[in-house]
Amino acid sequence: MSGNGAQQPQPRSQRLSQSPSRAKDTGPPLTGADEKATLRGFLDYLRNAVADKVEGVPEPQVRTGGVPSGTNLLGLVKHLAFVERFYFLGEDVGDWRTTMRPSAEDTVDGVLADYRKTVERANQVIDACPDLTLPAPRPPRRGQAPSMRWVLVHMIEETGRHAGHADILREQIDGSTGR
């Protein structure tokens, strides 16, 4: 305490070492040496982080909105599967708003299996791409396709954004933190 009775803040290093979530957190991935391996490594890291946040969450919490917009864990994974199919597999999406809403028939196991299968197919497309300047698959009637490099960077951003949402939603449900 200082002379005026106010409590001094702890140094940042002490706060971080006392945080219970730090012990459960995992650092960034070690990736291959080339650009594609690095980008795919970080994307896979984020994909796994999102999927891990959904595992073990019971009904109805997994599909219950944790914020006024209604965003929920199961909806995030379902949405990301649609985004992966759109950008890597060239599948069109009729209504993006519905991709965030799990149906009554959607189960955690089913949505996660679909997401993992979609990621596997997307990774096959990434792996087969010999040059990141080449265009990624594109749905018909959608204009010029962006490069595979742009799609990889965008998907890291998109998945990372939703991984952050999933972190917050999971912590609201059961206090779980970390990746």
Coordinates of all heavy atoms in Angstrom, one line a residue, residues 22-113:
R22 N -4.0 -19.5 -17.6 CA -2.7 -19.6 -18.3 C -2.2 -21.0 -18.3 O -1.6 -21.4 -19.2 CB -1.6 -18.7 -17.6 CG -2.0 -17.2 -17.7 CD -2.1 -16.6 -19.0 NE -0.8 -16.7 -19.7 CZ -0.6 -16.3 -20.9 NH1 -1.5 -15.9 -21.6 NH2 0.6 -16.4 -21.4
A23 N -2.5 -21.7 -17.3 CA -2.0 -23.1 -17.2 C -2.6 -24.0 -18.3 O -2.0 -24.9 -18.8 CB -2.2 -23.7 -15.8
K24 N -3.9 -23.7 -18.6 CA -4.6 -24.5 -19.6 C -4.4 -24.0 -21.1 O -4.8 -24.6 -22.0 CB -6.1 -24.4 -19.3 CG -6.4 -25.2 -18.0 CD -7.9 -24.9 -17.6 CE -8.9 -24.9 -18.6 NZ -10.2 -24.7 -18.1
D25 N -3.8 -22.8 -21.2 CA -3.6 -22.2 -22.5 C -2.5 -22.9 -23.3 O -1.5 -23.4 -22.7 CB -3.3 -20.7 -22.3 CG -3.9 -19.9 -23.4 OD1 -4.7 -20.4 -24.2 OD2 -3.5 -18.7 -23.5
T26 N -2.7 -23.0 -24.6 CA -1.7 -23.5 -25.5 C -1.1 -22.4 -26.4 O -1.9 -21.6 -26.8 CB -2.2 -24.7 -26.3 OG1 -3.3 -24.2 -27.1 CG2 -2.7 -25.8 -25.5
G27 N 0.1 -22.5 -26.6 CA 0.8 -21.4 -27.5 C 0.5 -21.7 -28.9 O -0.1 -22.7 -29.3
P28 N 1.0 -20.8 -29.8 CA 0.8 -20.9 -31.2 C 1.5 -22.2 -31.7 O 2.5 -22.7 -31.1 CB 1.5 -19.7 -31.8 CG 2.0 -18.9 -30.7 CD 1.7 -19.6 -29.4
P29 N 1.1 -22.7 -32.8 CA 1.6 -23.9 -33.3 C 3.0 -23.8 -33.9 O 3.4 -22.7 -34.4 CB 0.6 -24.3 -34.4 CG 0.2 -23.0 -35.0 CD 0.1 -22.1 -33.7
L30 N 3.8 -24.8 -33.9 CA 5.0 -24.9 -34.7 C 4.6 -25.4 -36.0 O 4.0 -26.4 -36.2 CB 6.0 -25.8 -34.0 CG 6.5 -25.4 -32.6 CD1 7.4 -26.5 -32.0 CD2 7.2 -24.1 -32.6
T31 N 5.0 -24.7 -37.0 CA 4.5 -25.0 -38.4 C 5.7 -25.3 -39.3 O 6.9 -25.1 -38.9 CB 3.7 -23.8 -39.0 OG1 4.6 -22.7 -39.1 CG2 2.5 -23.4 -38.1
G32 N 5.4 -25.7 -40.5 CA 6.4 -25.9 -41.5 C 7.1 -24.6 -41.9 O 6.7 -23.5 -41.4
A33 N 8.2 -24.7 -42.6 CA 9.0 -23.5 -43.0 C 8.4 -22.7 -44.1 O 8.7 -21.5 -44.2 CB 10.4 -24.0 -43.4
D34 N 7.5 -23.2 -44.9 CA 7.0 -22.4 -46.0 C 5.7 -21.7 -45.7 O 5.1 -22.0 -44.7 CB 6.9 -23.3 -47.3 CG 5.7 -24.3 -47.2 OD1 5.3 -24.6 -46.1 OD2 5.3 -24.7 -48.3
E35 N 5.3 -20.8 -46.5 CA 4.2 -19.9 -46.3 C 2.9 -20.7 -46.1 O 2.1 -20.5 -45.2 CB 4.1 -18.9 -47.4 CG 2.9 -17.9 -47.2 CD 2.7 -17.0 -48.4 OE1 3.2 -17.3 -49.5 OE2 2.0 -16.0 -48.2
K36 N 2.7 -21.6 -47.0 CA 1.4 -22.4 -47.0 C 1.3 -23.2 -45.7 O 0.3 -23.3 -45.0 CB 1.3 -23.3 -48.2 CG -0.1 -24.0 -48.2 CD -0.4 -24.9 -49.4 CE 0.5 -25.3 -50.4 NZ 0.0 -26.3 -51.3
A37 N 2.4 -23.9 -45.3 CA 2.4 -24.6 -44.1 C 2.2 -23.8 -42.8 O 1.5 -24.2 -41.9 CB 3.7 -25.4 -43.9
T38 N 2.7 -22.6 -42.9 CA 2.5 -21.6 -41.7 C 1.1 -21.2 -41.7 O 0.4 -21.2 -40.6 CB 3.5 -20.4 -41.9 OG1 4.8 -20.9 -41.9 CG2 3.2 -19.4 -40.7
L39 N 0.5 -20.8 -42.8 CA -0.9 -20.3 -42.8 C -1.8 -21.4 -42.4 O -2.7 -21.2 -41.6 CB -1.2 -19.7 -44.2 CG -0.5 -18.5 -44.6 CD1 -0.8 -18.1 -46.0 CD2 -0.9 -17.3 -43.7
R40 N -1.6 -22.6 -43.0 CA -2.5 -23.7 -42.7 C -2.3 -24.2 -41.2 O -3.3 -24.5 -40.5 CB -2.3 -24.9 -43.6 CG -3.3 -26.0 -43.2 CD -3.2 -27.2 -44.2 NE -3.7 -28.3 -43.4 CZ -3.5 -29.5 -43.7 NH1 -2.8 -29.8 -44.8 NH2 -4.0 -30.5 -42.9
G41 N -1.1 -24.1 -40.7 CA -0.9 -24.5 -39.3 C -1.6 -23.6 -38.3 O -2.3 -24.0 -37.4
F42 N -1.6 -22.3 -38.6 CA -2.4 -21.3 -37.7 C -3.9 -21.5 -37.9 O -4.6 -21.4 -36.9 CB -1.9 -19.9 -38.0 CG -0.8 -19.5 -37.2 CD1 0.5 -19.8 -37.6 CD2 -0.9 -18.9 -35.9 CE1 1.6 -19.4 -36.8 CE2 0.2 -18.6 -35.1 CZ 1.5 -18.8 -35.6
L43 N -4.3 -21.8 -39.1 CA -5.8 -22.0 -39.4 C -6.2 -23.2 -38.6 O -7.2 -23.2 -37.9 CB -6.1 -22.1 -40.8 CG -7.5 -22.3 -41.2 CD1 -8.4 -21.2 -40.6 CD2 -7.7 -22.3 -42.7
D44 N -5.5 -24.3 -38.7 CA -5.8 -25.6 -38.0 C -5.8 -25.4 -36.5 O -6.7 -25.9 -35.8 CB -4.8 -26.7 -38.4 CG -5.1 -27.3 -39.7 OD1 -6.2 -27.1 -40.3 OD2 -4.2 -27.9 -40.3
Y45 N -4.9 -24.6 -36.0 CA -4.8 -24.3 -34.6 C -6.1 -23.6 -34.1 O -6.7 -24.0 -33.1 CB -3.6 -23.4 -34.4 CG -3.5 -22.7 -33.0 CD1 -3.1 -23.5 -31.9 CD2 -3.6 -21.3 -32.9 CE1 -2.9 -22.8 -30.7 CE2 -3.3 -20.7 -31.7 CZ -3.0 -21.5 -30.6 OH -2.8 -20.8 -29.4
L46 N -6.6 -22.6 -34.9 CA -7.8 -21.9 -34.6 C -9.1 -22.8 -34.8 O -10.0 -22.8 -33.9 CB -8.0 -20.7 -35.4 CG -6.9 -19.6 -35.1 CD1 -6.9 -18.5 -36.2 CD2 -7.2 -19.0 -33.7
R47 N -9.1 -23.6 -35.8 CA -10.2 -24.6 -36.0 C -10.3 -25.5 -34.8 O -11.5 -25.7 -34.3 CB -9.9 -25.4 -37.3 CG -10.0 -24.7 -38.6 CD -9.4 -25.5 -39.7 NE -9.7 -25.1 -41.0 CZ -9.0 -25.5 -42.1 NH1 -8.0 -26.3 -41.9 NH2 -9.4 -25.1 -43.3
N48 N -9.2 -26.0 -34.3 CA -9.3 -26.9 -33.2 C -9.7 -26.2 -31.9 O -10.5 -26.8 -31.1 CB -7.9 -27.6 -32.9 CG -7.6 -28.6 -34.0 OD1 -8.4 -29.2 -34.5 ND2 -6.3 -28.7 -34.3
A49 N -9.3 -24.9 -31.8 CA -9.7 -24.2 -30.6 C -11.2 -24.0 -30.6 O -11.9 -24.1 -29.5 CB -9.0 -22.8 -30.6
V50 N -11.8 -23.7 -31.7 CA -13.3 -23.5 -31.8 C -14.0 -24.9 -31.5 O -14.9 -24.9 -30.7 CB -13.7 -23.0 -33.2 CG1 -15.2 -23.1 -33.4 CG2 -13.2 -21.6 -33.4
A51 N -13.5 -25.9 -32.1 CA -14.2 -27.2 -31.9 C -14.1 -27.7 -30.4 O -15.0 -28.2 -29.8 CB -13.6 -28.3 -32.8
D52 N -12.9 -27.4 -29.8 CA -12.7 -27.8 -28.4 C -13.6 -27.0 -27.5 O -14.0 -27.6 -26.4 CB -11.3 -27.5 -28.0 CG -10.3 -28.5 -28.6 OD1 -10.7 -29.5 -29.2 OD2 -9.1 -28.2 -28.5
K53 N -14.0 -25.8 -27.8 CA -14.9 -25.0 -27.0 C -16.3 -25.6 -26.9 O -17.1 -25.4 -26.0 CB -15.0 -23.6 -27.4 CG -13.8 -22.8 -27.1 CD -13.6 -22.7 -25.6 CE -12.3 -22.0 -25.3 NZ -12.1 -21.8 -23.9
V54 N -16.7 -26.4 -27.9 CA -18.1 -26.9 -28.0 C -18.1 -28.3 -27.3 O -19.2 -28.6 -26.7 CB -18.5 -27.0 -29.5 CG1 -19.9 -27.7 -29.6 CG2 -18.5 -25.7 -30.1
E55 N -17.1 -29.0 -27.3 CA -17.1 -30.3 -26.7 C -17.4 -30.3 -25.2 O -16.8 -29.5 -24.5 CB -15.7 -31.0 -27.0 CG -15.6 -31.4 -28.4 CD -14.3 -32.2 -28.7 OE1 -13.4 -32.3 -27.8 OE2 -14.3 -32.9 -29.8
G56 N -18.2 -31.1 -24.8 CA -18.6 -31.2 -23.4 C -19.6 -30.2 -22.9 O -20.0 -30.3 -21.7
V57 N -20.1 -29.4 -23.7 CA -21.1 -28.4 -23.3 C -22.5 -29.1 -23.4 O -22.9 -29.6 -24.5 CB -21.1 -27.1 -24.1 CG1 -22.2 -26.2 -23.6 CG2 -19.7 -26.5 -24.0
P58 N -23.3 -29.2 -22.4 CA -24.6 -29.9 -22.4 C -25.7 -29.0 -23.1 O -25.5 -27.8 -23.3 CB -24.9 -30.1 -21.0 CG -24.3 -28.9 -20.3 CD -23.0 -28.7 -21.0
E59 N -26.7 -29.7 -23.5 CA -27.9 -29.1 -24.0 C -28.6 -28.5 -22.8 O -28.5 -29.1 -21.7 CB -28.8 -30.1 -24.7 CG -28.3 -30.6 -26.0 CD -28.4 -29.7 -27.2 OE1 -29.0 -28.6 -27.0 OE2 -27.9 -30.0 -28.2
P60 N -29.3 -27.4 -22.9 CA -29.5 -26.5 -24.0 C -28.4 -25.4 -24.1 O -28.4 -24.6 -25.0 CB -30.8 -25.9 -23.8 CG -30.9 -25.8 -22.3 CD -30.2 -27.0 -21.8
Q61 N -27.4 -25.4 -23.2 CA -26.5 -24.3 -23.1 C -25.7 -24.2 -24.4 O -25.3 -23.1 -24.8 CB -25.5 -24.5 -21.9 CG -26.1 -24.3 -20.6 CD -26.6 -25.7 -20.0 OE1 -26.9 -26.6 -20.7 NE2 -26.6 -25.7 -18.7
V62 N -25.4 -25.3 -25.1 CA -24.6 -25.3 -26.3 C -25.2 -24.5 -27.4 O -24.6 -24.0 -28.3 CB -24.2 -26.7 -26.8 CG1 -25.4 -27.4 -27.3 CG2 -23.0 -26.7 -27.7
R63 N -26.6 -24.4 -27.4 CA -27.3 -23.7 -28.4 C -28.0 -22.5 -27.9 O -28.7 -21.8 -28.6 CB -28.3 -24.6 -29.1 CG -29.4 -25.1 -28.3 CD -30.4 -26.0 -29.0 NE -29.8 -27.3 -29.3 CZ -29.7 -27.7 -30.6 NH1 -30.2 -27.0 -31.6 NH2 -29.2 -28.9 -30.9
T64 N -27.8 -22.1 -26.7 CA -28.4 -20.9 -26.1 C -27.6 -19.7 -26.3 O -26.4 -19.8 -26.0 CB -28.7 -21.2 -24.6 OG1 -29.5 -22.3 -24.4 CG2 -29.3 -20.0 -23.9
G65 N -28.2 -18.7 -26.8 CA -27.4 -17.4 -27.0 C -26.9 -16.9 -25.7 O -27.6 -16.8 -24.7
G66 N -25.6 -16.5 -25.7 CA -25.0 -15.9 -24.6 C -24.9 -14.4 -24.6 O -24.5 -13.7 -23.7
V67 N -25.4 -13.8 -25.7 CA -25.4 -12.4 -26.0 C -26.7 -12.0 -26.6 O -27.4 -12.9 -27.2 CB -24.2 -11.9 -26.8 CG1 -22.9 -12.1 -26.0 CG2 -24.1 -12.7 -28.1
P68 N -27.1 -10.7 -26.6 CA -28.4 -10.3 -27.2 C -28.6 -10.7 -28.7 O -29.7 -11.0 -29.1 CB -28.4 -8.8 -27.0 CG -27.5 -8.5 -25.8 CD -26.4 -9.6 -25.9
S69 N -27.5 -10.9 -29.4 CA -27.7 -11.3 -30.8 C -28.1 -12.7 -31.0 O -28.5 -13.1 -32.1 CB -26.3 -11.0 -31.6 OG -25.4 -11.9 -31.1
G70 N -28.0 -13.5 -29.9 CA -28.3 -14.9 -30.0 C -27.1 -15.8 -30.3 O -27.3 -17.0 -30.5
T71 N -25.9 -15.3 -30.5 CA -24.8 -16.1 -30.8 C -24.6 -17.2 -29.8 O -24.6 -16.9 -28.6 CB -23.5 -15.2 -30.9 OG1 -23.7 -14.2 -31.9 CG2 -22.3 -16.0 -31.3
N72 N -24.4 -18.4 -30.3 CA -24.2 -19.5 -29.4 C -23.1 -20.4 -30.0 O -22.7 -20.3 -31.1 CB -25.5 -20.3 -29.3 CG -26.0 -20.8 -30.6 OD1 -25.6 -21.9 -31.1 ND2 -26.9 -20.1 -31.3
L73 N -22.6 -21.3 -29.1 CA -21.5 -22.2 -29.5 C -21.8 -23.1 -30.7 O -21.0 -23.2 -31.6 CB -21.0 -23.0 -28.3 CG -20.3 -22.3 -27.2 CD1 -20.1 -23.2 -26.0 CD2 -18.9 -21.8 -27.7
L74 N -22.9 -23.8 -30.7 CA -23.2 -24.7 -31.8 C -23.4 -23.9 -33.1 O -22.9 -24.4 -34.1 CB -24.4 -25.5 -31.4 CG -24.7 -26.7 -32.2 CD1 -23.5 -27.7 -32.1 CD2 -26.0 -27.4 -31.8
G75 N -24.0 -22.7 -33.0 CA -24.2 -21.9 -34.2 C -22.8 -21.4 -34.8 O -22.7 -21.3 -36.0
L76 N -21.9 -21.1 -33.9 CA -20.6 -20.7 -34.4 C -19.9 -21.8 -35.2 O -19.4 -21.5 -36.3 CB -19.7 -20.3 -33.2 CG -20.0 -19.0 -32.6 CD1 -19.1 -18.8 -31.3 CD2 -19.8 -17.8 -33.5
V77 N -19.9 -23.0 -34.7 CA -19.3 -24.1 -35.5 C -20.1 -24.4 -36.8 O -19.4 -24.6 -37.8 CB -19.2 -25.4 -34.6 CG1 -18.6 -26.6 -35.4 CG2 -18.4 -25.1 -33.3
K78 N -21.4 -24.4 -36.7 CA -22.2 -24.6 -37.9 C -21.8 -23.5 -38.9 O -21.6 -23.8 -40.1 CB -23.7 -24.6 -37.5 CG -24.6 -24.9 -38.7 CD -26.0 -25.1 -38.3 CE -26.9 -25.4 -39.5 NZ -28.2 -25.8 -39.1
H79 N -21.8 -22.3 -38.5 CA -21.4 -21.2 -39.4 C -20.1 -21.3 -40.0 O -19.9 -21.2 -41.3 CB -21.5 -19.9 -38.6 CG -21.0 -18.7 -39.4 ND1 -21.6 -18.1 -40.5 CD2 -19.8 -18.0 -39.2 CE1 -20.9 -17.1 -40.9 NE2 -19.8 -17.0 -40.2
L80 N -19.1 -21.7 -39.2 CA -17.7 -21.9 -39.7 C -17.6 -23.0 -40.8 O -16.9 -22.9 -41.7 CB -16.7 -22.1 -38.6 CG -16.4 -20.8 -37.9 CD1 -15.6 -21.1 -36.6 CD2 -15.6 -19.8 -38.7
A81 N -18.4 -24.0 -40.6 CA -18.5 -25.1 -41.6 C -19.0 -24.5 -43.0 O -18.4 -24.8 -44.0 CB -19.3 -26.3 -41.2
F82 N -20.0 -23.7 -42.9 CA -20.5 -23.1 -44.1 C -19.5 -22.2 -44.8 O -19.3 -22.1 -46.0 CB -21.8 -22.2 -43.9 CG -23.0 -23.0 -43.9 CD1 -23.6 -23.5 -42.7 CD2 -23.7 -23.3 -45.1 CE1 -24.8 -24.3 -42.7 CE2 -24.9 -24.0 -45.1 CZ -25.4 -24.5 -43.9
V83 N -18.7 -21.4 -44.0 CA -17.7 -20.5 -44.5 C -16.6 -21.3 -45.1 O -16.1 -20.9 -46.2 CB -17.2 -19.6 -43.4 CG1 -16.1 -18.7 -43.9 CG2 -18.3 -18.7 -42.8
E84 N -16.2 -22.4 -44.5 CA -15.1 -23.2 -45.1 C -15.6 -23.8 -46.4 O -14.8 -23.8 -47.4 CB -14.8 -24.4 -44.1 CG -14.2 -24.0 -42.8 CD -12.6 -24.1 -42.8 OE1 -12.1 -24.6 -43.8 OE2 -12.0 -23.7 -41.8
R85 N -16.8 -24.3 -46.5 CA -17.3 -24.8 -47.8 C -17.4 -23.7 -48.8 O -17.1 -24.0 -50.0 CB -18.7 -25.5 -47.6 CG -18.5 -26.8 -46.8 CD -19.8 -27.6 -46.9 NE -20.9 -27.0 -46.2 CZ -21.2 -27.2 -44.9 NH1 -20.4 -28.1 -44.2 NH2 -22.2 -26.6 -44.3
F86 N -17.8 -22.5 -48.5 CA -17.9 -21.4 -49.4 C -16.5 -21.1 -50.0 O -16.3 -21.0 -51.2 CB -18.5 -20.2 -48.7 CG -18.6 -19.0 -49.6 CD1 -19.6 -18.9 -50.6 CD2 -17.7 -18.0 -49.6 CE1 -19.7 -17.8 -51.4 CE2 -17.8 -16.9 -50.4 CZ -18.8 -16.8 -51.3
Y87 N -15.6 -20.8 -49.1 CA -14.3 -20.4 -49.6 C -13.3 -21.4 -50.2 O -12.6 -21.2 -51.1 CB -13.5 -19.6 -48.5 CG -14.1 -18.2 -48.4 CD1 -14.8 -17.8 -47.3 CD2 -13.8 -17.2 -49.3 CE1 -15.3 -16.5 -47.2 CE2 -14.3 -15.9 -49.2 CZ -15.0 -15.6 -48.1 OH -15.5 -14.3 -48.0
F88 N -13.3 -22.6 -49.6 CA -12.4 -23.6 -50.0 C -13.0 -24.6 -51.0 O -12.3 -25.3 -51.8 CB -11.8 -24.4 -48.8 CG -10.9 -23.6 -48.0 CD1 -11.2 -23.3 -46.7 CD2 -9.7 -23.0 -48.6 CE1 -10.3 -22.5 -45.9 CE2 -8.9 -22.2 -47.8 CZ -9.2 -22.0 -46.5
L89 N -14.3 -24.8 -50.9 CA -15.0 -25.9 -51.7 C -15.9 -25.3 -52.8 O -16.4 -26.0 -53.6 CB -15.7 -26.8 -50.9 CG -14.9 -27.5 -49.7 CD1 -15.8 -28.4 -48.9 CD2 -13.7 -28.2 -50.2
G90 N -16.0 -24.0 -52.8 CA -16.8 -23.3 -53.9 C -18.3 -23.6 -53.8 O -19.0 -23.4 -54.8
E91 N -18.8 -23.9 -52.6 CA -20.3 -24.1 -52.4 C -20.9 -22.8 -52.1 O -20.5 -22.0 -51.2 CB -20.5 -25.1 -51.3 CG -20.0 -26.5 -51.6 CD -20.3 -27.5 -50.5 OE1 -21.1 -27.3 -49.6 OE2 -19.6 -28.6 -50.6
D92 N -22.1 -22.6 -52.7 CA -22.8 -21.3 -52.5 C -23.6 -21.4 -51.2 O -24.0 -22.5 -50.8 CB -23.7 -21.1 -53.7 CG -24.0 -19.6 -53.9 OD1 -23.6 -18.7 -53.0 OD2 -24.7 -19.2 -54.9
V93 N -23.9 -20.3 -50.6 CA -24.7 -20.2 -49.4 C -25.9 -19.3 -49.7 O -25.7 -18.2 -50.2 CB -23.9 -19.6 -48.2 CG1 -24.8 -19.4 -47.0 CG2 -22.7 -20.5 -47.9
G94 N -27.1 -19.8 -49.5 CA -28.3 -19.1 -49.9 C -28.5 -17.9 -48.9 O -28.8 -16.8 -49.3
D95 N -28.4 -18.2 -47.6 CA -28.8 -17.1 -46.6 C -27.8 -17.3 -45.5 O -27.9 -18.2 -44.6 CB -30.2 -17.3 -46.1 CG -30.6 -16.3 -45.1 OD1 -29.8 -15.4 -44.8 OD2 -31.8 -16.4 -44.6
W96 N -26.8 -16.3 -45.4 CA -25.7 -16.4 -44.4 C -26.3 -16.3 -43.0 O -25.8 -16.9 -42.1 CB -24.7 -15.3 -44.6 CG -23.7 -15.6 -45.7 CD1 -23.7 -15.1 -47.0 CD2 -22.7 -16.6 -45.7 NE1 -22.7 -15.7 -47.7 CE2 -22.0 -16.6 -46.9 CE3 -22.2 -17.4 -44.7 CZ2 -20.9 -17.4 -47.2 CZ3 -21.1 -18.2 -44.9 CH2 -20.5 -18.2 -46.2
R97 N -27.4 -15.6 -42.8 CA -27.9 -15.4 -41.4 C -28.4 -16.7 -40.8 O -28.2 -17.0 -39.6 CB -29.1 -14.4 -41.4 CG -28.7 -13.0 -41.7 CD -29.9 -12.1 -41.8 NE -30.6 -12.6 -43.1 CZ -31.9 -12.3 -43.4 NH1 -32.6 -11.7 -42.5 NH2 -32.4 -12.7 -44.5
T98 N -28.8 -17.6 -41.7 CA -29.3 -18.9 -41.1 C -28.2 -19.9 -40.8 O -28.4 -20.8 -40.0 CB -30.2 -19.7 -42.2 OG1 -29.5 -19.9 -43.3 CG2 -31.4 -18.8 -42.5
T99 N -27.0 -19.6 -41.2 CA -25.8 -20.5 -40.9 C -25.4 -20.4 -39.5 O -24.7 -21.3 -39.0 CB -24.6 -20.1 -41.8 OG1 -24.1 -18.8 -41.5 CG2 -24.9 -20.2 -43.3
M100 N -25.8 -19.4 -38.7 CA -25.5 -19.2 -37.3 C -26.6 -19.8 -36.4 O -26.4 -19.8 -35.2 CB -25.3 -17.7 -37.0 CG -24.2 -17.1 -37.6 SD -22.6 -17.5 -36.8 CE -22.6 -16.3 -35.5
R101 N -27.6 -20.4 -37.0 CA -28.7 -20.9 -36.2 C -28.8 -22.4 -36.3 O -29.3 -22.9 -37.3 CB -30.0 -20.2 -36.6 CG -30.1 -18.7 -36.5 CD -31.4 -18.2 -36.8 NE -31.3 -16.8 -37.1 CZ -31.7 -16.2 -38.2 NH1 -32.3 -16.9 -39.1 NH2 -31.5 -14.9 -38.4
P102 N -28.5 -23.1 -35.2 CA -28.6 -24.6 -35.3 C -30.1 -24.9 -35.3 O -30.9 -24.3 -34.6 CB -27.9 -25.1 -34.0 CG -27.8 -23.9 -33.1 CD -27.9 -22.7 -34.0
S103 N -30.5 -26.0 -36.0 CA -31.8 -26.4 -36.0 C -32.1 -27.3 -34.8 O -31.1 -27.7 -34.1 CB -32.1 -27.2 -37.3 OG -31.4 -28.4 -37.3
A104 N -33.3 -27.7 -34.6 CA -33.6 -28.6 -33.5 C -33.0 -29.9 -33.7 O -32.7 -30.6 -32.7 CB -35.2 -28.7 -33.3
E105 N -32.8 -30.3 -34.9 CA -32.2 -31.6 -35.2 C -30.7 -31.6 -35.1 O -30.1 -32.7 -35.1 CB -32.6 -32.1 -36.7 CG -34.1 -32.4 -36.8 CD -34.9 -31.1 -37.0 OE1 -34.4 -30.1 -37.6 OE2 -36.0 -31.1 -36.5
D106 N -30.1 -30.5 -35.1 CA -28.6 -30.4 -35.0 C -28.2 -30.9 -33.6 O -28.7 -30.5 -32.6 CB -28.1 -29.0 -35.3 CG -28.1 -28.6 -36.7 OD1 -27.9 -29.5 -37.6 OD2 -28.3 -27.4 -37.0
T107 N -27.2 -31.8 -33.6 CA -26.6 -32.2 -32.4 C -25.1 -31.7 -32.3 O -24.5 -31.5 -33.4 CB -26.6 -33.7 -32.2 OG1 -25.8 -34.3 -33.3 CG2 -28.0 -34.3 -32.3
V108 N -24.5 -31.7 -31.1 CA -23.1 -31.4 -31.0 C -22.3 -32.3 -31.8 O -21.4 -31.9 -32.6 CB -22.7 -31.4 -29.5 CG1 -21.2 -31.2 -29.4 CG2 -23.4 -30.3 -28.7
D109 N -22.5 -33.6 -31.7 CA -21.7 -34.6 -32.4 C -21.9 -34.4 -33.9 O -20.9 -34.5 -34.6 CB -22.1 -36.0 -32.0 CG -21.7 -36.4 -30.6 OD1 -20.8 -35.7 -30.0 OD2 -22.2 -37.4 -30.0
G110 N -23.1 -34.2 -34.4 CA -23.3 -34.1 -35.8 C -22.7 -32.8 -36.4 O -22.1 -32.8 -37.4
V111 N -22.8 -31.7 -35.7 CA -22.2 -30.4 -36.1 C -20.7 -30.5 -36.1 O -20.1 -30.1 -37.1 CB -22.8 -29.2 -35.3 CG1 -22.0 -27.9 -35.6 CG2 -24.3 -29.0 -35.6
L112 N -20.2 -31.1 -35.1 CA -18.7 -31.2 -35.0 C -18.2 -32.2 -36.1 O -17.2 -31.9 -36.7 CB -18.3 -31.7 -33.6 CG -18.2 -30.6 -32.5 CD1 -17.9 -31.3 -31.2 CD2 -17.2 -29.6 -32.8
A113 N -18.9 -33.2 -36.3 CA -18.5 -34.2 -37.4 C -18.5 -33.5 -38.7 O -17.6 -33.7 -39.6 CB -19.3 -35.4 -37.4

